[in-house]
Amino acid sequence: ASSRKLRIFDFDDTLVHVVAKIHVTHEDGEKESLTPAEYAVYEPQPGDKFNFKEFTSVIKKAKPIEKNIKRLKAAMNDPSTKTTILTARLLGYPIKKYLRDNYRLDPYVIGLGSSNPQDKADWIEKQIKKGYNDIEFIDDSHKNVEAVEGLRKKYPNVRLKTELVK
């Protein structure tokens, strides 16, 4: 059987460090602001309310992670590969605009609107069911990587490579 290649990149802290914060209001009314990196390892407390508004607007300040942008370009330049950006953000538009304006890239962006790692794994499983059997997944969250690695046992015939961005 021929291989069907899928390359999946997370966006925040994988392709680009965006200068934006997630705002948390705790049950007692205390407020806290987290960077995406802090949020990736944050353990939510009962009653936490999250505000992601800084991630729904156009990206103004960002620092690209050049080696991963290069990999995104290489994947997009390979006609035999489907390349997707899979983000916990709700809106893909700010990501599409940023990559178009800065790199003339127009990747397929899936905004899950969820930071539950299982949602990324479920999306990838749907792609496996569509016949993709050579998959690479690059993300900065160890929880997301672990969730996706959980698909290996279920689909032993699929080449599934995960990479945690440090």
Side-chain angles (χ1 to χ4, degrees):
S2 66
S3 78
R4 290 189 62 200
K5 294 195 284 192
L6 175 62
R7 300 295 175 260
I8 304 152
F9 295 82
D10 174 48
F11 183 74
D12 290 288
D13 294 337
T14 296
L15 291 171
V16 173
H17 293 295
V18 175
V19 181
K21 295 254 193 325
I22 295 113
H23 302 282
V24 187
T25 306
H26 301 297
E27 203 165 27
D28 64 5
E30 190 195 333
K31 287 178 167 32
E32 182 177 4
S33 295
L34 305 170
T35 64
E38 289 165 342
Y39 178 73
V41 295
Y42 178 77
E43 295 294 340
Q45 297 152 28
D48 277 356
K49 287 195 175 54
F50 295 96
N51 178 326
F52 296 94
K53 70 173 182 281
E54 291 185 25
F55 291 90
T56 58
S57 57
V58 172
I59 295 163
K60 292 179 186 76
K61 287 172 71 181
K63 199 173 130 237
I65 302 167
E66 291 295 349
K67 71 174 195 345
N68 291 340
I69 295 273
K70 274 197 190 103
R71 293 168 67 182
L72 174 68
K73 283 182 183 168
M76 289 189 70
N77 286 332
D78 179 349
S80 71
T81 299
K82 179 181 173 181
T83 305
T84 302
I85 292 176
L86 186 61
T87 176
R89 290 173 178 237
L90 179 60
L91 299 179
Y93 174 74
I95 293 173
K96 285 184 86 69
K97 180 170 170 35
Y98 174 84
L99 290 170
R100 195 173 56 225
D101 293 353
N102 292 280
Y103 296 98
R104 292 195 187 91
L105 292 174
D106 189 18
Y108 190 52
V109 178
I110 300 287
L112 290 171
S114 159
S115 50
N116 177 348
Q118 193 54 47
D119 291 340
K120 284 197 174 183
D122 290 348
W123 187 87
I124 291 171
E125 184 169 19
K126 282 189 191 123
Q127 306 313 302
I128 292 171
K129 288 180 173 162
K130 286 179 188 172
Y132 289 95
N133 57 10
D134 179 344
I135 299 171
E136 290 180 14
F137 173 71
I138 303 166
D139 200 302
D140 67 300
S141 158
H142 72 94
K143 293 177 196 166
N144 291 344
V145 168
E146 279 169 21
V148 171
E149 283 178 351
L151 295 168
R152 276 210 191 102
K153 282 191 193 86
K154 206 167 169 186
Y155 300 97
N157 299 332
V158 171
R159 177 188 172 269
L160 179 61
K161 181 174 177 265
T162 59
E163 184 180 324
L164 183 62
V165 176
K166 294 282 193 283

